[in-house]
Amino acid sequence: FASRPPTPIHTKPLTLPATSLMVAIMLCALPAISYLVWLNKQIDLSIISVEFAKSVAEKEQGSALMVRLLTSFPTLWHFAVATFVLGLVPALMEEFWFRGILQNKFIEILTPDVAIWTTGFIFSLFHFQFEGFLARWVLGALFGYLYLWSGNLWVTVIGHFVNNFVTLVAIYLFNHKYLSYNFYEPTAMSWYWIVLSVLSVGTFIYLFKTQSKKWTPKPLS
């Protein structure tokens, strides 16, 4: 990868319509993403290997403990720090690496679709959490397509941050008894919420794509 000429990670201006649609897509996608997390948890890994399933379960318990520790938010100050550390920094770093560098390099040697889904797979794998793997893979692919169509990495940075921030807000409200839905333990939602989420996301994606000309990365001269 390093031997190839660098690819510009954002070549088009950040527009208000693209930003607004990105935010709308992420907000509408929350029920569907939550459902994918729940669906992922229903997979019985003991079919593959009992020892493998036990190992994954132990790692998930450790990850869950770490997440609960990092998102305890006893005060608003803790929440503000967490928003920066767990919301903004990952949105910036992960999008610049996975979409800005890795996806662009894959597009040079693969078709755009294969490059996007491959990058999304690596993006999900990078988190080292089986529970939520499917949701992160789909989310990573979604960011990949929106980046491809918009031609501006800041659009996906904003979308990534919105996803992180809304989750942190929901956890904060749950911890302080203002919200009943537990993001630590996602449950199966009613089918109509899932259908509404998918239809809304599909509509906004269509609007996003039609207002953005397809962007093909070009090497720097």
Side-chain angles (χ1 to χ4, degrees), residues 3 15 17 35 56 110 120 123 128 152 157 162-163 173 194 203 205:
S3 67
T15 64
Y35 174 73
V56 170
L110 303 169
F123 165 72
F128 298 102
N152 193 304
V157 170
V162 169
N163 177 75
L173 295 177
I194 309 303
T203 301
I205 287 177

Side-chain angles (χ1 to χ4, degrees), residues 166-208:
V166 171
T167 302
L168 291 174
V169 169
I171 291 174
Y172 178 84
L173 295 177
F174 173 78
N175 289 343
H176 289 79
K177 314 300 182 184
Y178 296 118
L179 186 68
S180 59
Y181 186 80
N182 185 0
F183 266 72
Y184 294 120
E185 296 291 339
T187 56
M189 291 186 173
S190 300
W191 65 269
Y192 50 83
W193 282 113
I194 309 303
V195 171
L196 181 61
S197 174
V198 172
L199 290 177
S200 300
V201 170
T203 301
F204 284 123
I205 287 177
Y206 174 78
L207 294 173
F208 187 98

Side-chain angles (χ1 to χ4, degrees), residues 105-125:
K105 291 301 180 182
F106 277 141
I107 285 178
E108 293 176 1
I109 58 177
L110 303 169
T111 65
D113 291 318
V114 174
I116 287 171
W117 285 98
T118 301
T119 305
F121 181 85
I122 297 173
F123 165 72
S124 186
L125 194 66

Side-chain angles (χ1 to χ4, degrees), residues 144-172:
Y145 279 110
L146 295 174
Y147 172 42
L148 182 71
W149 297 329
S150 69
N152 193 304
L153 192 67
W154 291 110
V155 172
T156 60
V157 170
I158 291 170
H160 199 141
F161 173 74
V162 169
N163 177 75
N164 293 350
F165 180 69
V166 171
T167 302
L168 291 174
V169 169
I171 291 174
Y172 178 84

